Amino acid sequence: MDATLKPRDTRDVAEAVAWAAAEEQPLEIVGHGSKRGLGRPVQAAHVLDLSDLSGVVTYEPAELVLTVKAGTPLEAVEKLVAENNQELSFEPPNLTQLIGGRGASDENGAARTAGTVGGILAANLSGPRRLKAGAARDHILGMEAVSGRGEVFNSGGKVVKNVTGYDLPRALCGSYGTLAVATTVTLKVNPRPEACQSLVFSGLSDHDAVRLLCQAMGSSAEVSGAAHLPEGREGEGPGTLLRVEGFSTSVDYRIGQLESLLGEFGTPERLDDTDSQNLWQQVRDAKPVARDETPVWRISVAPTAGPEVLAALRNQFDLSAFYDWSGGLVWLSCLDGEIHDEEIRAAVAASEGGHATLMRADASVRSAVDVFQPQPAPLVALSRRLKQQFDPKAVLNPGRMVRGE
Amino acid sequence: MTAISMPAPDQEVIARRREILSALQAIVPGEGVVHDEREMRAYETDGLTAYRQLPLIVVLPETVEQVSRVLKYCHQNNVKVVPRGAGTSLSGGALPLEDGVLMSMMKFNRVLDIDYDNRAVVVQPGVTNLGITRAVEHEGFYYAPDPSSQIACSIGGNIAENSGGVHCLKYGLTTNNVLGLEMVLITGEVIRLGGKHLDSEGYDLLALMTGSEGLLGVVTEVTVRILQKPETARAVLIGFPTSEDGGRCVADVIAAGIIPGGMEMMDRPAIHAAEDFVNAGYPLDVEALLIVELDGPEREVDFLIDRVEAIGRANKATHCRVSQSEEERMTFWAGRKAAFPAVGRISPDYLCMDGTIPRRELPRVLARMRELSEKHGLRCANVFHAGDGNLHPLILYDANKPGELDAAEAFGADILRLCVEVGGVLTGEHGVGIEKRDLMTDMFSEEDLKQQQRVKCAFDDKHLLNPGKVFPVLHRCAELGKMHVHKGQLPFPDIPRF
Ligand SMILES: Cc1cc2nc3c(=O)[nH]c(=O)nc-3n(C[C@H](O)[C@H](O)[C@H](O)COP(=O)(O)OP(=O)(O)OC[C@H]3O[C@@H](n4cnc5c(N)ncnc54)[C@H](O)[C@@H]3O)c2cc1C
């Protein structure tokens, strides 16, 4: 008996999970399904579909705090906060073009492809502004959730500063629904910058580009985006991008400051607000590697290690790649269609530390290789004990993060 | 004796003291093990000085291997361990146990790696918060979270408490500025999390460790993010006839899209105490005083200072002064930063509370606090991180007067309950420790607390690391693990499915 359960409220979720635990019937936890292609395929006969757990619970712009049900569409949340001149500063990406996914549509039939708030937190996905504003997990304040035991628990709070008890809301980010099912989340929102401008430097090698990015990040210009596209925006050759946001007088000033600081790298092109927004959206959504069907990896290392990792890999196979996060985030497409996991893991291991995630590959491939960075034994054991404490019967998204668990 | 009680010491362990001592001496040589009562006195309390307890033995390891071996020994021999940094915790987090080893991490005091390109610094946990900034400031860098205790407190303690400071509104708490750490579990296993890269895969144990109050593991190395100092900073002092006006001003600043580097408020008693102490030039005829600091490029700061001033005036400010020099800016802060010692001058003792509230509740909370002050017969001065609603009521009392500490604690508990009642939390940055332990049930349900304790079980299933802190009732892990299973067929006929 395969069932799709569509709970209407937290109690329904708790009941469904309690049943699953009692019967040892694993559940696949789904919001809009936009990120089904991420991680390992789940082995579960039943689906727990949270898309009806949708809506704003409270939103107090003056407090910078927003509480929503976990299944609320991300687009709806971004629209709401934008109406109040606010934003989710971690710049949640929309990876539809990269990984497919079903998505949903709103009441007027418009596509909603970015998934749900719960989904973006479960995958802890953040865009270019991550390096200044923090990750998705840095923006969560509180959570109501149902553990794999079928019990409802609250953690965190609804204020921006809180250290009462363990920071479970933050710790549950990035757990891909394998510890608990979030039902309501409280997020920190921020004022939306008044203005935005970018600089594009041309013709730099990866190495020089990352040197530029690190220099810019180490300045007081409060750079909020630092990326390098070795193949450029439209194949026109290398482009190195910096973004500055804030009050317009300040943005003008800081852009000028960067131009003079970085004079040795040539004269950059300036992009105004609209062009800037478009460009960074491409970076955010990994558009340069999203075309085609090739395997795509996302590698996070120390910024200065980025070019070294990539150079080592370029010697071994044909690839297309770009850098975000000052050089520390490498998006890489394996042009020959092979996975190259061994080469990639070895290159990351040779750097000072980091991780590589297989972001796009067929389900059969994702169940056969390690999608996520393998961890040392004591950490594996500790993580397993944590899983056991939240989900002793392993009914939540089995196999999503770790094979057989 | 004071109201909060610690778990009954295990006499069997105390009886084994000599044996434990020689085992520790075999691991940590020489002066690294302290057992003389007089020397151990230095460790009997932390920043919550109303509570004192001599530990069984003090150990000061110097290497990760020593930490690991000590913990492993304690684990195998059922000996409790209390980690300690600089001992400035205001919640009693580092209070020793009579039957427990106190592990001071202050010999881990080296800066290991400064990496400007990657804006990361790797330090040992005993390095002070300010020590990190000191190590990088000649290159114009600093470490952003700045607790007032930064000259003394250790980065390991900051991790354990997820400490904040004046600049956290804009730059985040400890948790938002830590990139990685190394820790040792009670079993002696060494675990590394994160590093100079951003984010990690697998469960976010870094998030769990930050703010775990020494209950999950002993931190032996920390990697933090450093930032380039803003080009300039200026502060404006704004005085208001009522706290409502001040509160509204704070909300309006944020509504205008401005996130100041710092935004602090003081009430009348705190203003007077501070002004008497340091002559910061604070107006004495106001009910609330705001210090708003703007930092960034000069042009931005000038522009924002004007806007903040205008917002202040629109909210009936009676006093408004902008710092004209770096020296004047420091003077504005001197009063706020000296608020605790200033209050210490007008009262023999004080308790520093630390609740957070939604900012809109500020006037109501201040009014209720005045009533509570009368009810308990004790004075109270308020300083707070206005930008994020984090209150620090200072309750004035005299420990030598019978009953006053009890009254102060009861007053403090009432304030924290009030914070929770209006939608806030028990602690914004000082931690639960022992101080707020018994109030946890006012904020969390039994199930909420049980799930938190299950996390503890994954790390330390014998409850040997810092027991008696944070959780009002200690459940055995076996008991917490039990599941009440109701078998049946898909029981919810009313859940839609297809
Ligand atoms: C005057 C004064 C002002 C203060 N101002 C602020 C402020 O503005 N903001 C703020 O947030 N706090 C403030 N505090 C509180 C305190 O300074 C912080 O909580 C600080 O982080 C504690 O650091 P510590 O090194 O003194 O830790 P300790 O007091 O020694 O220990 C605190 C907790 O951390 C644990 N711990 C310590 N080191 C380790 C380690 N290496 N591994 C694992 N666990 C460890 C201990 O077990 C204990 O639970 C203030 C305190 C004082 C006395």
Side-chain angles (χ1 to χ4, degrees):
Chain A
M1 166 202 54
D2 288 10
T4 290
L5 305 168
K6 239 180 155 193
R8 295 148 306 188
D9 54 24
T10 305
R11 256 201 49 211
D12 283 355
V13 176
E15 222 176 290
V17 178
W19 167 79
E23 297 296 321
E24 304 196 17
Q25 291 281 338
L27 300 172
E28 181 187 7
I29 318 300
V30 174
H32 286 171
S34 70
K35 293 169 191 65
R36 262 192 167 136
L38 263 190
R40 306 184 71 264
V42 169
Q43 272 99 52
H46 313 286
V47 172
L48 189 65
D49 175 336
L50 299 174
S51 57
D52 278 354
L53 286 190
S54 173
V56 174
V57 180
T58 49
Y59 176 33
E60 298 181 63
E63 304 283 342
L64 305 175
V65 171
L66 168 69
T67 302
V68 295
K69 295 186 195 164
T72 310
L74 196 56
E75 277 112 336
V77 169
E78 295 208 281
K79 182 160 171 285
L80 172 70
V81 296
E83 283 162 8
N84 288 276
N85 258 321
Q86 295 186 330
E87 64 175 15
L88 300 177
S89 294
F90 59 95
E91 229 179 338
N94 179 338
L95 299 179
T96 320
Q97 195 188 338
L98 183 76
I99 54 174
R102 109 171 116 87
S105 49
D106 71 6
E107 54 282 0
N108 305 318
R112 276 179 164 163
T113 55
T116 63
V117 171
I120 202 88
L121 294 169
N124 189 31
L125 288 170
S126 324
R129 212 185 283 111
R130 158 71 182 100
L131 84 174
K132 172 169 183 278
R137 58 85 97 172
D138 290 294
H139 291 79
I140 190 161
L141 302 172
M143 187 185 275
E144 176 198 74
V146 175
S147 70
R149 309 166 55 89
E151 281 154 355
V152 182
F153 65 95
N154 274 284
S155 52
K158 292 189 175 183
V159 289
V160 295
K161 207 159 163 202
N162 174 22
V163 298
T164 323
Y166 299 132
D167 200 343
L168 295 186
R170 208 180 308 282
L172 288 167
C173 290
S175 66
Y176 282 89
T178 63
L179 295 178
V181 182
T183 48
T184 305
V185 295
T186 297
L187 296 170
K188 183 183 176 188
V189 294
N190 275 313
R192 194 177 157 89
E194 183 183 283
C196 163
Q197 280 187 45
S198 297
L199 293 176
V200 184
F201 293 80
S202 305
L204 299 176
S205 68
D206 288 11
H207 189 267
D208 283 345
V210 170
R211 204 159 56 80
L212 177 155
L213 298 177
C214 289
Q215 219 170 307
M217 288 311 300
S219 77
S220 60
E222 295 192 57
V223 172
S224 71
H228 176 63
L229 313 179
E231 286 138 56
R233 285 165 281 169
E234 265 115 34
E236 75 284 10
T240 311
L241 328 174
L242 292 174
R243 177 175 63 183
V244 171
E245 297 171 293
F247 292 100
S248 40
T249 49
S250 167
V251 169
D252 284 340
Y253 173 83
R254 286 183 279 144
I255 283 281
Q257 187 188 14
L258 286 169
E259 280 175 333
S260 51
L261 174 76
L262 304 168
E264 64 162 302
F265 297 100
T267 310
E269 178 193 350
R270 276 198 196 200
L271 298 187
D272 69 8
D273 211 314
T274 319
D275 286 349
S276 218
Q277 307 279 8
N278 291 337
L279 177 59
W280 286 101
Q281 196 169 323
Q282 309 267 315
V283 175
R284 183 194 76 182
D285 298 343
K287 287 284 163 69
V289 295
R291 294 178 295 265
D292 311 326
E293 306 278 286
T294 49
V296 169
W297 287 83
R298 186 174 180 266
I299 303 172
S300 178
V301 289
T304 51
E308 282 156 36
V309 167
L310 204 48
L313 294 172
R314 278 191 206 282
N315 282 335
Q316 301 178 63
F317 57 95
D318 201 11
L319 59 82
S320 163
F322 74 97
Y323 302 84
D324 195 1
W325 298 354
S326 186
L329 187 72
V330 180
W331 285 93
L332 180 158
S333 165
C334 306
L335 296 178
D336 59 4
E338 301 292 320
I339 299 298
H340 295 294
D341 52 326
E342 281 172 25
E343 296 94 312
I344 287 170
R345 300 263 175 242
V348 171
S351 76
E352 253 189 288
H355 56 86
T357 316
L358 179 56
M359 295 295 281
R360 180 170 69 194
D362 288 344
S364 59
V365 174
R366 283 182 288 115
S367 35
V369 303
D370 286 321
V371 168
F372 299 104
Q373 185 71 24
Q375 299 180 323
L379 190 50
V380 168
L382 179 56
S383 301
R384 192 173 288 153
R385 294 199 296 273
L386 195 65
K387 165 81 175 170
Q388 169 79 24
Q389 292 296 337
F390 276 90
D391 180 21
K393 303 284 180 195
V395 293
L396 303 181
N397 275 352
R400 185 83 190 242
M401 293 180 85
V402 183
R403 197 178 313 185
E405 281 177 30
Chain B
M1 203 25 217
T2 34
I4 302 158
S5 57
M6 295 304 286
D10 186 338
Q11 295 305 330
E12 185 270 331
V13 170
I14 295 174
R16 280 193 279 136
R17 181 167 187 264
R18 286 181 70 117
E19 165 200 324
I20 297 167
L21 179 62
S22 43
L24 295 183
Q25 281 168 332
I27 301 171
V28 182
E31 293 175 354
V33 178
V34 176
H35 53 99
D36 172 71
E37 184 184 323
R38 205 170 35 86
E39 285 177 64
M40 290 205 302
R41 284 272 168 231
Y43 299 93
E44 70 177 356
T45 187
D46 56 16
L48 186 69
T49 50
Y51 292 81
R52 281 164 204 278
Q53 171 63 55
L54 274 181
L56 186 68
I57 300 165
V58 178
V59 58
L60 296 102
E62 266 180 275
T63 65
V64 178
E65 201 213 327
Q66 288 173 359
V67 173
S68 167
R69 286 177 61 199
V70 169
L71 292 177
K72 188 173 175 185
Y73 169 83
C74 289
H75 184 241
Q76 284 171 347
N77 293 278
N78 296 315
V79 181
K80 296 165 188 153
V81 179
V82 176
R84 178 182 170 107
T88 66
S89 166
L90 291 170
S91 53
L95 182 75
L97 295 168
E98 191 182 342
D99 57 345
V101 170
L102 186 88
M103 181 181 274
S104 166
M105 294 304 289
M106 294 312 276
K107 284 201 172 170
F108 278 77
N109 57 5
R110 283 186 305 128
V111 175
L112 301 174
D113 178 18
I114 299 177
D115 182 344
Y116 295 112
D117 286 338
N118 292 311
R119 297 183 301 138
V121 172
V122 184
V123 295
Q124 292 189 318
V127 170
T128 62
N129 172 292
L130 193 61
I132 300 178
T133 292
R134 289 272 185 264
V136 297
E137 64 187 353
H138 61 281
E139 293 285 339
F141 284 87
Y142 75 116
Y143 173 61
D146 55 343
S148 313
S149 52
Q150 65 180 164
I151 191 167
C153 65
S154 72
I155 189 70
N158 290 179
I159 300 276
E161 302 286 13
N162 188 12
S163 300
V166 165
H167 287 97
C168 286
L169 179 61
K170 183 166 174 185
Y171 298 100
L173 299 157
T174 302
T175 190
N176 311 113
N177 289 276
V178 176
L179 296 170
L181 52 82
E182 179 192 75
M183 63 168 171
V184 185
L185 299 181
I186 187 72
T187 51
E189 284 166 292
V190 180
I191 301 236
R192 292 190 70 89
L193 304 170
K196 289 180 185 174
H197 57 282
L198 294 177
D199 303 339
S200 284
E201 295 196 317
Y203 297 139
D204 194 343
L205 303 179
L206 191 57
L208 269 185
M209 281 306 293
T210 313
S212 62
E213 305 200 23
L215 269 73
L216 301 183
V218 175
V219 176
T220 48
E221 189 190 289
V222 183
T223 305
V224 296
R225 156 78 68 238
I226 50 169
L227 299 175
Q228 180 69 214
K229 281 222 166 88
E231 208 176 274
T232 187
R234 286 172 81 191
V236 49
L237 272 187
I238 318 176
F240 298 92
T242 68
S243 59
E244 281 85 346
D245 295 326
R248 218 176 319 105
C249 179
V250 172
D252 287 353
V253 168
I254 294 203
I258 304 172
I259 302 289
M263 185 148 58
E264 297 289 299
M265 204 194 271
M266 299 164 81
D267 71 355
R268 178 183 272 270
I271 300 167
H272 283 248
E275 183 58 21
D276 286 351
F277 187 36
V278 297
N279 300 315
Y282 291 167
L284 296 175
D285 57 347
V286 296
E287 283 302 318
L289 184 67
L290 260 190
I291 310 177
V292 186
E293 178 164 297
L294 283 311
D295 61 9
E298 205 148 321
R299 213 195 291 180
E300 171 177 339
V301 169
D302 289 347
F303 168 72
L304 293 180
I305 284 269
D306 287 351
R307 285 182 83 162
V308 169
E309 244 188 304
I311 293 168
R313 297 211 187 279
N315 284 295
K316 304 192 206 141
T318 52
H319 181 99
C320 208
R321 213 167 94 220
V322 178
S323 67
Q324 300 301 329
S325 64
E326 185 58 12
E327 195 190 347
E328 192 173 13
R329 182 180 75 88
M330 299 308 277
T331 313
F332 286 2
W333 281 114
R336 165 63 183 87
K337 292 207 165 155
F340 291 12
V343 165
R345 261 172 28 118
I346 58 171
S347 169
D349 300 285
Y350 66 87
L351 272 186
C352 173
M353 310 310 293
D354 172 46
T356 304
I357 56 167
R359 270 185 284 95
R360 64 176 137 66
E361 297 289 345
L362 185 66
R364 179 147 76 107
V365 167
L366 286 179
R368 286 279 299 280
M369 256 195 251
R370 280 191 287 271
E371 289 167 25
L372 289 172
S373 168
E374 277 182 30
K375 173 182 154 195
H376 293 282
L378 291 173
R379 289 180 299 161
C380 173
N382 267 292
V383 296
F384 41 97
H385 306 303
D388 42 34
N390 185 197
L391 307 176
H392 289 321
L394 303 170
I395 299 171
L396 282 47
Y397 73 100
D398 181 350
N400 288 326
K401 289 197 187 143
E404 277 216 348
L405 173 59
D406 288 344
E409 286 188 333
F411 185 2
D414 279 349
I415 291 175
L416 295 183
R417 280 190 205 102
L418 173 61
C419 291
V420 173
E421 188 189 309
V422 302
V425 301
L426 295 172
T427 171
E429 57 182 16
H430 293 169
V432 176
I434 55 167
E435 189 211 8
K436 300 156 203 113
R437 184 193 70 194
D438 296 344
L439 294 169
M440 287 289 270
T441 48
D442 285 278
M443 182 166 151
F444 291 115
S445 74
E446 197 183 323
E447 186 51 37
D448 299 344
L449 290 173
K450 279 191 172 165
Q451 191 54 47
Q452 298 212 19
Q453 288 198 49
R454 289 189 190 106
V455 169
K456 168 80 166 165
C457 294
F459 285 77
D460 171 22
D461 65 351
K462 290 186 182 177
H463 286 303
L464 291 173
L465 261 182
N466 219 2
K469 317 287 168 71
V470 183
F471 298 109
V473 184
L474 280 186
H475 296 283
R476 294 190 30 244
C477 289
E479 182 195 328
L480 287 165
K482 279 188 201 138
M483 261 177 84
H484 306 282
V485 171
H486 310 285
K487 288 246 176 197
Q489 28 166 266
L490 219 51
F492 26 75
D494 45 335
I495 296 186
R497 58 182 112 132
F498 26 55

